[in-house]
Amino acid sequence: YHFLSIVVAFMDLEGLLAQLLSPDNAVRGPAEQHLHNAIQYPDQLMLSLIKVTRSSNFPELKAMSSVLLRKYLYKGNDSLWPKITPNTQESVKRELLLGAEQENDPAVRKKIYDAISELASFIIGGEYQNQQWPELLPSLFRFTNSLQVHHREGALNIFSKLIYFVNDQMKQYFGILKTLFSNGLKDPDPKVRIAALQAVISFFQSNSDDFAETGQRKEFIELVPLMIDVLVSLIQTRNEDSARTALELLVELAGTDPSYLRAYINLCLNIMLSICNGDYEQSTRHIALEFLITISESRPGMARKIPQFLQNVLPVLLRMLMKLEENPHWNLGEDHDVIDDDSRFAEEALDRFAMALGGKMLVPLLFSVAPELLKSSDWRQRHAAVMALTLIAEGCYKHLVAHLGTLLNFIFPMFSDPHPRVRWAACNAMGQFALDFPGALQQQFHNKIFPTIISMTRDAQNPRVQSHAASAIINLCEHCKSETLELYTDDILSSLVNMLRTNNKVVQEETITAIAAIADCIEHRFAKYYDTFVPYLKTLLSSNESPDLKPLQGKAIECLSFIGVAVGKERFLNDAKDIMEFLIKKEKLSNDDTNFTLISQACGRFCSCLGLDFVPYLPYVIPPLLKSSSIQPDIRISDASTTEDHDEGWGVISVGEKNIAINTTLLEEKATACNMLFCYAQALKEGFFPYVEEVAKLTIPFLKFYFSDDVRSAAASLMPCLLLSTKLHLEKTGNDKQLLYNLWDFMLPTFLQSLQTELDMELLVSKLEFLNESLDTVGGYCTAAGLEESVKTISTLISDCAERSDDRNEKKSDQDYDNEDEERLKEESNREEDILNQICELNSKLARAHKGQYINILLQDTAVTKLLWDMLGQDAQPFEKGGALWILGEVVEHGASAWGPTLPGPLASLVNIFSDGLRQPSPSIRERSADGIAAFAKTSQQSLLPRVIDIVKDLMQIIQDPNARSEENSSARESAVTAFGQIVRSFPNNYQQMLPLWLSFIPVTIDDFDNLCYFLENDPFRELLLNQNLNGVLVMLGEILDPELEEEFQKRIQGLFSYLAQYPTFRPAVELLCHQQKEKINSCLNRIF
């Protein structure tokens, strides 16, 4: 029966396709099964499909057949192409080209062109590159000269899709292609011109590197005026549908490589401005503006050099911002807003312009036009000016932070504006400024800001203004000093109490959040307001559970948690238990509750407040978090040509010809749940141990969850907490550490692999910090396999650093490079320095823990050693050289167990590199060079001997420099003092002169303490110190003593003081110390005796 059904399917494929098109599931289901069975006979299926596509009398069946043909030709690993015979392959290729030439139905013809594109890319650009399709290019060239419009359009469309895959083969045809493109751009038919424009842009994008090498770019740039003419002609003939397509293609070029447009950028600007200012459809004007934004984002330096660029663009944006209408229902809430798309788009555009171009040009320009707008009799102009000043704040921070007074002087009068929407905009501005200028705003202008905002909370006739004033208070509290906010707390809370009494839910929600923000800021000082708010908030929880009250109750729980953390466990404990019992009883901890996110975060704060008293509630809060953490990403992929509406909470990006939509709401829930697991693990430590294994198995893979940065960040932060929880539990129960090591062995490979593929640089720094913290927790434990993977990771990360360094250097040579770019690159370099420091820290921890075993693995990786030597080159940045010296210094210090006192091969030359580094102007290079000298003095004295006198002089120069103790130079000085002490230990011949000199430097680091202990434990140093420099010894001990010192050092100190106390001059010498040093030493003596 199975065989017969397949035979029937091939004999009557048209009937089968008709059944597939049926809306009746009972008809369509069996047909789908027959088709699935037919896949077992790929030759017959492909030939049958091509036959229907070419010869059916029913267009809908031909279209369906061509779709299936394309699907089976290019279905990733399931493609039927490699499964059919060469004869069938030739038949398919021949018939497709004939179909492209002869098919009359436009829909079918398009699908045939698509199938050709897919098949060609599969053959030429995929894994079957050894196959040929010699007829393809000649056929396409012939089509471009056809009298038929659809032939010319179809060929160019195929070129645009295929050019990335056949680029090497096309190089010999560059001359023909230029003529072909030129003719297409001048074609009388707009569809052909659009296809040509797409093909040229695809060609540009695929050949940018080759053009740079061969110098052919200039030749092809001659096509740009024709490309622009395509847009101009479409605009002039009011063919806006096609014009929008042309604009979108030019936006694509502007985003990938706008340098092609450089010579014609003024022409482009004028055309786009004429569209923005013209009587065109809104979407057309927006795409023209998008072109200007994209140029600014992709090549900000080029945009800043365009004459009158912002002077021409800003009026367009301001005019769009003014597209507002009076709305009698405005005060009812955001659901009743009527916002013109022009205004919304202008807000986004102005923010993006500011972020891209900075404030050097934009701030003076806006400051020059704002006064007139703010004095206008039209509230829309005043509103637009306030919004514009607000929108540029983040991107223009560096230029505005020095002119905050001027900026605020624009805004303050607007709080008295007669129109409520202008007052709302002023509140919005202040709230945004609080985030964009954190701390500086509150510190400098609190005496005017807070009274003004408080007055807005009393605007009872305009609840939107009231609620936005509360929102501003929330933001102002975030970076406000508690003592500053306390000056206004009584007045603010008095107003907020009155706002709670309104019947407006939006006002009440923002008010409750503002109370939470105040509690979070002033902390224990909120205790005096506790009885005013906590009973009221608890009453809200127990009120009726109507759906419209749910958001308010969620806010109440959130607020209670902030108050609890602020006032502390002693005051809050009983209320916290009441709240938790309520949440459990009412089943509010379920993932299905609409307030789940707010409640789970609040429970995390309850836990932070209660500590181990929260442990009994873990069985109720952890399972829902595990469920939410397990959420899989919801992704939908569709053709870019199709328009699909997505509900709120979906994000869509375009990748090639596909749209990828992802449910961001689910991702946010997953990230929040992971963060809450971190909060519990961090707060409870060993109390979280019962959940460590389950949480670890679930979240460790999230280190590579590339759909969400927040999920990866939460997973990384969890790792050291899970290890610490396990370690403390084992110590408390008296068990050995094998369970801890097993957890680390399970965790480390994924952790390291995630570092090698992490693309977010700030998250990379955090991940490295958490990895280093984890290593500390496990005491540096690592298996041989773990060491090898660690070296691989270090090699990959340093290589990535080098690539990014090359990219930055390349940007500096760009003709558009300017001061704004210089500032951005400095920020990138600072972030890169953070990354490299964490890499070096990782190397240091592994070297100290595993010494020669690790060093041997490191040096066997030739890529690492080459990168390190490259980082010492003349073109390297100081932090890069410092990083290389840091790593190599650890190699010298800890590799001795592998090779003894004589360094192998090229490492012997390091002494010269470290010695020369002592004289470099960069403090970080001097610091790491001194560390390297100390390592040589400790492990390879013979290598140091020829230069030791010069080295001592250089160290003295660093130590005694007048600015040596400045913040910038202090670390270099400390390292130099340590190196000096190590040289005294290793070369004791002149200790009588050198040791007192070293002691006079009064160093304060642990390494110096190690040197001091050595000198006090060994003669002849001990006799000299105690007989002639006892006071100096005690001063140094007074500097170093700290109750937090590691146990090893504590024991060593006790031994020293037990010995020193025997000296008759010891007690009198202690009495001569300063009060702080005397207290430290006496405290230590009391613990010993």
Side-chain angles (χ1 to χ4, degrees), residues 1066-1079:
F1066 174 73
R1067 290 289 180 180
V1070 170
E1071 293 301 316
L1072 295 175
L1073 299 174
C1074 72
H1075 176 75
Q1076 184 179 8
Q1077 294 168 341
K1078 190 191 306 183
E1079 285 290 314

Side-chain angles (χ1 to χ4, degrees), residues 770-785:
F770 291 130
L771 177 65
N772 286 324
E773 185 181 344
S774 299
L775 263 176
D776 287 338
T777 302
V778 299
Y781 166 82
C782 199
T783 63

Side-chain angles (χ1 to χ4, degrees), residues 159-177:
F159 270 124
S160 67
K161 296 176 182 178
L162 200 57
I163 199 72
Y164 297 102
F165 302 103
V166 297
N167 195 40
D168 291 338
Q169 296 94 317
M170 296 297 289
K171 288 179 180 177
Q172 59 182 309
Y173 300 112
F174 272 8
I176 298 173
L177 279 176

